């Protein structure tokens, strides 16, 4: 097979040689390209995309050669780069569809199935490295958008990580750090998003420098208090990335040491907990609170090997569980997972599966966390079922059944638990009464979780060693249950029985 494509340049090659992004007059680090900037360059790319499609239909031989010839590889990489570079522009819906078709039809369905795909990816990243690690990287808006889009698709395509090695991940880290340090909110969002996705997809493959990433991310936690919603949302994604670093550094790599120390010393996890709690206190939007509660819940479950709480949206059968909350918004209920199976919230004492494995990493935060959860119950005027589901689930992780050394009196913790379930029942009850008969929906899930909260608090002395009768003599939890607190719980159970 003749692979010398330089003898007679094909229409595709001639087109690719012309498809170069016009340089921006201003740095995108300080001035994000305006719609006018986009519109000035858009006609060129619109014509190029149409010509590229036409050329491919008439002469795709040069592109689809499976060879290690350097000229052919450069040609294929140039095609891939041009397809992704055009993501920098506000294309029409028709052209966006055309562009997606080019990617799927030629890059991911054909080129990426060649035996030379690793060489192609290597050449493309070499090109990104030269452009985006240069001093004037902030003028290459097209290359930035191209890099972000290609990396995102590569992480989704290469699930076995055959094409991603430490050098690729290191480049992703370096570019992401540069984007996050930028004054531009748009670049910060891009950097955080692609870095978190990289951490998530490469977990367990020893490709990520978790210590360096955690230090870099911790420099930007101030953005959580920003008034810019994009900044806030990206900061919450950043917290998820920091938690993944903590999971590896303090749970997987240092499991023996943390067991010996019994989590007595403050750590990265404590610093992250403090950041999340401050964010929740300052949050004035239910959507932000829900996102932060998701982070909090994942933190509280960090030491659980098989228990996790996720949205049913992530489950394979999510389309069969779509429901509508009281505000008329379509949402998904939370699912409590044990291993790969979903726990039936209607089963008796299912919540014990969460309580029994609790190891007390955040025991020093119990009082502060409970007060926060109580304040969150009445924080927003409208009832949002997902928000309350997160609150209910978080409570279970605060019942520490292992720790015997605590600075907080058990009786005081129990009183806060009673205050929590009392407020929760009183908040949920009128909503359920107004809704009438409900199917297995967000509200129904909320009802089941609140019932479990009350049952858990009622049996508190069964789980916490210090709450058992011996030595308490009426001045501890047992004495509280026997008097006023027991009356509160009995009233709550009577209300629940009417649901």
């Amino acid at each position: 097979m003749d692979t010398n494509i330089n003898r007679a340049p094909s229409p595709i090659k001639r087109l690719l040689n012309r498809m170069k992004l016009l340089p921006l007059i201003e740095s995108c680090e300080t001035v994000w390209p305006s719609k006018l900037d986009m519109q000035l360059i858009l006609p060129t790319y619109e014509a190029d995309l149409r010509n590229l499609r036409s050329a491919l239909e008439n002469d795709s031989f040069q592109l689809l050669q499976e060879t290690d010839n350097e000229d052919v590889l450069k040609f294929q990489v140039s095609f891939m780069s041009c397809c992704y570079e055009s993501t920098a522009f506000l294309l029409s819906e028709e052209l966006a569809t055309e562009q997606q078709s080019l990617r799927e039809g030629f890059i991911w369905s054909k080129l990426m199935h060649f035996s030379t795909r690793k060489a192609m990816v290597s050449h493309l990243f070499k090109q990104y490295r030269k452009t985006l690690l240069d001093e004037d990287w902030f003028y290459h808006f097209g290359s930035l958008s191209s890099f972000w889009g290609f990396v995102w698709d590569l992480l989704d395509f290469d699930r076995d990580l055959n094409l991603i090695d430490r050098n690729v991940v290191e480049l992703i880290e370096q570019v992401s750090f540069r984007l996050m340090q930028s004054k531009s909110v748009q670049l910060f969002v891009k950097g955080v998003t692609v870095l978190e996705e990289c951490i998530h997809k490469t977990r367990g493959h020893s490709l990520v420098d978790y210590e360096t990433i955690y230090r870099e991310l911790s420099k930007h936690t101030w953005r959580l208090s920003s008034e810019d919603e994009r900044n806030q949302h990206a900061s919450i994604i950043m917290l998820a990335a920091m938690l993944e670093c903590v999971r590896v550094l303090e749970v997987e790599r240092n499991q023996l040491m943390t067991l010996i120390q019994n989590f007595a010393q403050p750590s990265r996890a404590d610093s992250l907990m403090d950041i999340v709690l401050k964010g929740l206190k300052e949050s004035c939007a239910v959507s932000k609170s829900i996102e932060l509660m998701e982070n909090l819940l994942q933190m509280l479950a960090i030491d659980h090997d098989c228990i996790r709480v996720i949205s049913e949206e992530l489950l394979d059968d999510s389309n069969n569980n779509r429901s509508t909350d009281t505000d008329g918004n379509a949402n998904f209920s939370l699912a409590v997972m044990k291993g790969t199976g979903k726990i039936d919230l209607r089963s008796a004492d299912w919540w014990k599966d969460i309580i029994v494995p609790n190891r007390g990493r955040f025991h020093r935060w119990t009082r502060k966390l409970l007060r926060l959860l109580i304040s969150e119950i009445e924080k927003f005027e409208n009832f949002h079922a997902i928000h309350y589901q997160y609150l209910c689930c978080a409570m279970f992780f605060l019942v520490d059944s292992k720790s015997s050394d605590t600075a907080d009196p058990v009786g005081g913790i129990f009183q806060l638990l009673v205050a929590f379930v009392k407020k929760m029942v009183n908040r949920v009850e009128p909503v359920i009464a107004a809704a009438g008969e409900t199917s297995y929906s967000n509200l129904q899930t909320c009802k089941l979780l609140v019932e479990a909260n009350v049952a858990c608090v009622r049996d508190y002395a069964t789980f916490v060693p210090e709450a058992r009768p011996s030595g308490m003599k009426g001045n501890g939890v047992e004495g509280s249950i026997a008097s006023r607190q027991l009356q509160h719980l009995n009233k709550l159970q009577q209300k629940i029985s009417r649901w």
Side-chain angles (χ1 to χ4, degrees):
M1 179 182 295
D2 185 5
T3 59
N4 189 354
I5 66 174
N6 289 312
R7 292 180 181 175
S10 70
I12 307 178
K13 186 180 180 184
R14 289 196 299 270
L15 180 61
L16 291 176
N17 288 335
R18 290 192 296 105
M19 286 183 68
K20 296 298 179 184
L21 179 68
L22 299 178
L24 294 169
I25 297 175
E26 299 285 350
S27 162
C28 65
E29 183 184 28
T30 54
V31 180
W32 190 253
S34 66
K35 287 187 177 181
L36 178 60
D37 294 325
M38 304 290 193
Q39 290 168 357
L40 290 174
I41 311 175
L42 179 56
T44 301
Y45 267 80
E46 288 180 339
D48 283 344
L49 281 172
R50 290 194 179 96
N51 292 336
L52 188 57
R53 165 60 74 182
S54 176
L56 283 170
E57 290 174 351
N58 298 322
D59 182 17
S60 62
F61 172 74
Q62 299 287 359
L63 177 66
L64 298 178
Q65 290 187 60
E66 189 169 1
T67 175
D68 57 3
N69 180 283
E70 283 295 311
D71 288 331
V72 175
L73 288 174
K74 289 179 181 178
F75 174 54
Q76 292 167 336
V77 167
S78 182
F79 170 79
M80 294 162 61
S81 177
C82 284
C83 279
Y84 275 95
E85 189 169 331
S86 58
T87 59
F89 304 100
L90 301 176
L91 303 176
S92 66
E93 185 176 343
E94 178 185 353
L95 286 172
T97 302
E98 183 85 358
Q99 181 190 72
Q100 185 66 23
S101 175
L102 283 174
R103 291 184 192 173
E104 294 178 355
F106 285 89
I107 297 179
W108 302 108
S109 296
K110 294 179 181 178
L111 292 180
M112 281 302 171
H113 289 280
F114 285 176
S115 59
T116 54
R117 62 186 179 275
K118 193 170 183 64
M120 283 188 284
V121 171
S122 178
H123 275 66
L124 184 55
F125 276 110
K126 184 178 180 180
Q127 180 176 311
Y128 286 137
R129 186 180 296 276
K130 181 180 179 181
T131 305
L132 299 181
L133 296 186
D134 194 54
E135 291 183 0
D136 65 346
W137 63 272
F138 37 76
Y139 289 104
H140 298 278
F141 180 57
S143 294
L144 286 170
S145 295
S146 172
F147 175 81
W148 188 88
F150 180 76
V151 167
W152 192 269
D153 284 350
L154 179 64
L155 289 170
D156 184 61
F157 173 82
D158 188 24
R159 299 187 179 182
D160 295 328
L161 301 185
N162 295 319
L163 305 175
I164 300 174
D165 55 22
R166 176 57 195 156
N167 289 331
V168 170
V169 174
E170 184 179 25
L171 177 61
I172 296 173
E173 292 172 6
Q174 290 175 317
V175 174
S176 295
F177 292 167
R178 283 195 165 190
L179 295 178
M180 291 190 310
Q181 291 166 359
S182 169
K183 299 175 184 178
S184 167
V185 175
Q186 292 92 333
L187 291 183
F188 172 72
V189 171
K190 283 183 178 292
V192 167
T193 306
V194 76
L195 183 61
E196 193 277 335
E197 184 73 3
C198 178
I199 293 174
H200 175 68
K201 292 293 178 65
T202 60
R203 186 183 181 193
H205 289 81
S206 302
L207 296 174
V208 174
D209 185 350
Y210 292 98
E211 187 67 56
T212 300
I213 289 177
Y214 183 84
R215 286 200 304 268
E216 186 64 32
L217 292 175
S218 63
K219 298 176 183 178
H220 301 279
T221 54
W222 61 270
R223 293 179 184 264
L224 192 63
S225 301
S226 170
E227 294 182 359
D228 191 295
E229 291 185 5
R230 296 165 300 176
N231 234 332
Q232 292 180 2
H233 181 69
S235 297
I236 292 170
I237 295 175
M238 181 181 68
L239 294 179
M242 292 177 70
L243 177 59
E244 191 63 33
C245 293
V246 170
R247 191 188 306 278
V248 173
L249 295 171
E250 295 193 4
V251 178
E252 297 178 4
R253 292 186 182 174
N254 300 320
Q255 189 175 28
L256 179 60
M257 185 57 66
T258 52
L259 284 171
I260 291 174
Q261 295 178 346
N262 194 29
F263 317 124
Q265 300 298 322
S267 62
R268 299 181 193 87
D270 288 278
S271 299
L272 190 54
M273 176 65 79
D274 189 41
I275 294 168
V276 173
L277 262 61
K278 286 180 180 177
L280 279 166
K281 287 179 181 178
E282 296 172 359
S283 170
C284 56
V286 68
S287 58
K288 181 181 177 182
S289 286
I290 289 173
E291 290 178 320
L292 286 168
M293 285 299 302
E294 162 68 20
N295 277 274
L296 174 62
L297 201 54
Q298 299 306 321
M299 287 185 65
L300 293 173
I302 194 172
D303 293 304
H304 287 65
D305 295 328
C306 62
I307 296 293
R308 57 199 176 106
V309 182
I310 64 174
S311 169
E312 286 192 356
E313 184 176 10
L314 302 178
L315 299 181
D316 292 337
D317 62 343
S318 62
N319 289 334
N320 297 324
N321 292 316
R322 187 179 293 273
S323 60
T324 304
D325 64 14
T326 55
D327 293 330
N329 300 316
N331 284 308
F332 292 94
S333 302
L334 295 187
V336 182
M337 309 295 293
K338 185 175 184 180
T340 58
K342 184 169 65 172
I343 295 177
D344 184 1
L345 301 186
R346 292 185 179 87
S347 62
D349 299 339
W350 61 267
W351 38 272
K352 293 180 181 178
D353 287 329
I354 297 178
I355 292 175
V356 173
N358 284 352
R359 290 167 56 194
R361 176 184 294 270
F362 298 109
H363 185 79
R364 64 174 67 88
W365 294 89
T366 299
R367 183 182 291 272
K368 189 176 291 187
L369 281 166
L370 278 172
R371 285 175 174 164
L372 174 73
L373 297 183
I374 291 171
S375 67
E376 284 284 313
I377 292 175
E378 296 179 347
K379 189 172 185 178
F380 303 103
E381 182 179 352
N382 294 328
F383 182 87
H384 299 268
I386 295 294
H387 185 216
Y388 287 91
Q389 288 176 41
Y390 273 116
L391 294 175
C392 290
C393 288
M395 193 222 77
F396 296 123
F397 290 95
L398 300 182
V399 179
D400 181 13
S401 62
K402 297 288 194 300
S403 179
S404 58
D405 182 17
T406 172
D408 285 325
V410 176
I413 297 297
F414 176 74
Q415 290 179 20
L416 287 174
L417 287 171
V418 173
F420 172 82
V421 294
K422 181 180 178 181
K423 275 198 171 186
M424 185 63 76
V425 170
N426 291 337
R427 184 70 178 94
V428 173
E429 184 183 31
V431 180
I432 291 178
E437 293 295 326
T438 59
S439 59
Y440 191 77
S441 64
N442 278 325
L443 185 56
Q444 186 71 4
T445 301
C446 195
K447 167 189 168 183
L448 294 172
L449 288 170
V450 173
E451 289 176 348
N453 283 155
V454 176
C456 174
V457 176
R458 183 63 180 82
D459 290 345
Y460 185 62
T462 305
F463 296 100
V464 181
E466 294 86 347
R468 290 171 187 167
S470 59
M472 301 307 288
K473 300 289 185 180
N475 59 357
V477 174
E478 199 66 23
S480 298
I481 289 180
S483 56
R484 187 163 55 90
Q485 305 298 347
L486 178 59
Q487 295 175 12
H488 285 317
L489 291 171
N490 287 337
K491 290 179 180 179
L492 294 179
Q493 287 182 323
Q494 290 175 7
K495 287 184 178 181
I496 291 173
S497 65
R498 294 194 294 268
W499 290 358

